[in-house]
Amino acid sequence: MESGDSLSLTHSLPSLSFEAPLTEEEKTFTQSIRVRAWALTLCACAHAAFYCRLLTAMRCKVLDEAHFPNSWLAKYQILKSNRGSLKIGLLGCGHFGKQLVLSLLQLTHLSAANITVSTRRPETLSVLTDLGIECFYDNKRLATSVDVMFLCCLPSHLLAVSSQIRGSISESCIVYSLITAVPAARLKNLLAHSSIVKPHYSFHKINPWSKVWITGKSPIEALADQEVIEMTSPFKKADLSCVDLKWFEEVLYSVLNFCHLLQVPYGVTLNMVNSLLFSPSEGLEAMDNPVLFTCESFVNATCIQSLSHSSLFPWFDLSSVSRRKTPLTKFFLLHPRLQHPLSFVYRMSMLKTRDPPETDGCCGH
């Protein structure tokens, strides 16, 4: 008997199936739970990939700027040698973690050499190690060596994990938490670290997701479909979006923090952000009187008064952004038309296939 033949003996016996004792109502409920879990995986992978692409693009813009103050030329040389490439780490790698790694490889310019994984059972990740990804079990080592650390461990493991890495996370490292039901404020206390991005997901209507789930596609396969990409877009009306727009506020403030570390003057930072998100390119025509980010979009009037031409944006506590109204919150409310260009940037980013770079790194230098 060939492998798997024994399982086929029960194929025509529905009474032995897992869902046999369930009522139709219970079956509908369990299916909705599965659809939500699948949709959560899909959206989390898409948004994580978009974030990595955005942060990488900003790093590359910093490298391309010619006017660097001599006081931080050394930092520029360090960045230059790394060619803008992000170092990504996953802490925890179950089923979702594997999907996330594969999505990052497919939807970004990250190579396997840019990704490391720390998990209690690295020997089970042959599918990743065969791709060239380094997998080990040393959470502290991971926390000290990456630019973005995705927390993918179980909530029940969080206390143990936080005790292992507390105090070891680099100041420049962004902790991107995908642990459900644990708010950013709690993570800040556990990790003694404030650079935390924590998306909040909700699915108001499950029917559109059910239609895609029934096809049996993996997240990567589904995200090759332009209609599915549009479904995952964060830049839609609140009752249609799967993620709170606060997530994008955290993303933008984390970009400003990155520029703060490299001593980029706030005016240069604003120009680069606006150029990255609103410059006409790849089929996007220039908007009439486009609404661009200004200093007031990110900081209050008191802070603006203290800024000089060479000043930096202040360092932002990302864990506070998710639970407080910020100048950026007001800016998005006043300018809902921003959703159109941002949605376009998101779609174009997700539709790009990952072509092997001609040179090492991701900036083409």
Side-chain angles (χ1 to χ4, degrees):
M1 180 179 293
E2 295 183 2
S3 175
D5 283 355
S6 58
L7 297 178
S8 65
L9 296 176
T10 63
H11 180 69
S12 59
L13 300 174
S15 61
L16 295 181
S17 69
F18 173 76
E19 294 185 345
L22 303 180
T23 65
E24 289 303 317
E25 183 179 358
E26 290 170 334
K27 290 179 181 179
T28 300
F29 176 75
T30 57
Q31 177 171 314
S32 69
I33 295 298
R34 292 173 182 172
V35 172
R36 286 178 182 274
W38 182 87
L40 177 60
T41 298
L42 182 72
C43 290
C45 288
H47 299 156
F50 175 71
Y51 177 65
C52 288
R53 287 193 71 116
L54 182 63
L55 191 55
T56 298
M58 190 62 180
R59 289 166 70 105
C60 292
K61 272 196 169 293
V62 171
L63 292 181
D64 289 336
E65 289 293 326
H67 45 279
F68 291 99
N70 293 330
S71 61
W72 58 289
L73 185 60
K75 294 182 180 179
Y76 167 71
Q77 293 296 341
I78 293 173
L79 238 183
K80 188 76 172 180
S81 66
N82 196 35
R83 299 184 185 274
S85 297
L86 288 173
K87 294 181 180 179
I88 303 296
L90 269 75
L91 200 160
C93 195
H95 174 71
F96 170 74
K98 293 177 185 176
Q99 295 296 328
L100 177 57
V101 171
L102 296 175
S103 297
L104 292 177
L105 288 175
Q106 182 68 28
L107 300 172
T108 74
H109 289 292
L110 294 168
S111 67
N114 297 124
I115 303 174
T116 53
V117 174
S118 178
T119 180
R120 292 192 302 170
R121 298 184 61 192
E123 68 277 3
T124 64
L125 300 179
S126 58
V127 65
L128 300 184
T129 55
D130 289 346
L131 294 173
I133 295 171
E134 186 179 10
C135 302
F136 50 79
Y137 181 39
D138 189 338
N139 294 336
K140 186 174 182 179
R141 171 187 166 191
L142 183 85
T144 59
S145 62
V146 296
D147 300 308
V148 180
M149 179 170 61
F150 289 98
L151 283 183
C152 304
C153 62
L154 294 173
S156 58
H157 296 165
L158 181 58
L159 285 177
V161 165
S162 60
S163 66
Q164 294 169 354
I165 65 176
R166 181 183 174 90
S168 301
I169 307 173
S170 169
E171 180 188 13
S172 61
C173 177
I174 305 295
V175 176
Y176 193 113
S177 176
L178 292 163
I179 304 176
T180 58
V182 181
R186 171 70 169 157
L187 289 170
K188 177 184 177 180
N189 291 334
L190 289 174
L191 301 176
H193 190 73
S194 63
S195 295
I196 297 171
V197 174
K198 176 72 173 72
H200 296 274
Y201 291 101
S202 60
F203 300 92
H204 303 281
K205 297 180 180 179
I206 205 67
N207 291 338
W209 300 99
S210 297
K211 295 177 182 178
V212 184
W213 176 76
I214 290 173
T215 65
K217 293 182 178 180
S218 69
I220 293 178
E221 293 170 334
L223 288 171
D225 188 324
Q226 187 169 353
E227 183 179 355
V228 176
I229 292 173
E230 179 60 32
M231 289 169 60
T232 66
S233 175
F235 308 108
K236 298 192 293 186
K237 293 181 180 179
D239 59 339
L240 298 177
S241 178
C242 58
V243 67
D244 193 320
L245 192 58
K246 271 289 183 180
W247 167 77
F248 192 59
E249 289 185 36
E250 296 168 36
V251 166
L252 288 181
Y253 278 115
S254 73
V255 169
L256 299 191
N257 278 354
F258 162 72
C259 292
H260 175 96
L261 287 172
L262 292 181
Q263 303 290 298
V264 182
Y266 80 92
V268 178
T269 298
L270 279 174
N271 289 337
M272 289 192 293
V273 170
N274 285 323
S275 173
L276 190 64
L277 295 176
F278 301 123
S279 293
S281 62
E282 303 197 42
L284 178 64
E285 297 181 356
M287 299 175 61
D288 293 331
N289 300 316
V291 178
L292 303 179
F293 292 117
T294 64
C295 193
E296 292 84 352
S297 304
F298 298 102
V299 295
N300 59 34
T302 303
C303 180
I304 293 172
Q305 292 175 359
S306 66
L307 296 177
S308 65
H309 179 71
S310 60
S311 294
L312 316 176
F313 272 118
W315 180 264
F316 299 99
D317 183 338
L318 300 184
S319 65
S320 299
V321 174
S322 63
R323 65 181 190 274
R324 296 178 182 174
K325 290 183 178 180
T326 68
L328 195 52
T329 306
K330 181 179 179 181
F331 186 76
F332 282 137
L333 289 174
L334 291 176
H335 304 288
R337 66 195 296 258
L338 280 174
Q339 292 178 351
H340 173 67
L342 291 175
S343 181
F344 181 87
V345 170
Y346 175 79
R347 292 198 307 272
M348 290 299 99
S349 175
M350 299 304 296
L351 285 172
K352 288 182 179 178
T353 57
R354 182 184 177 278
D355 300 320
E358 296 180 0
T359 58
D360 293 338
C362 61
C363 295
H365 290 289

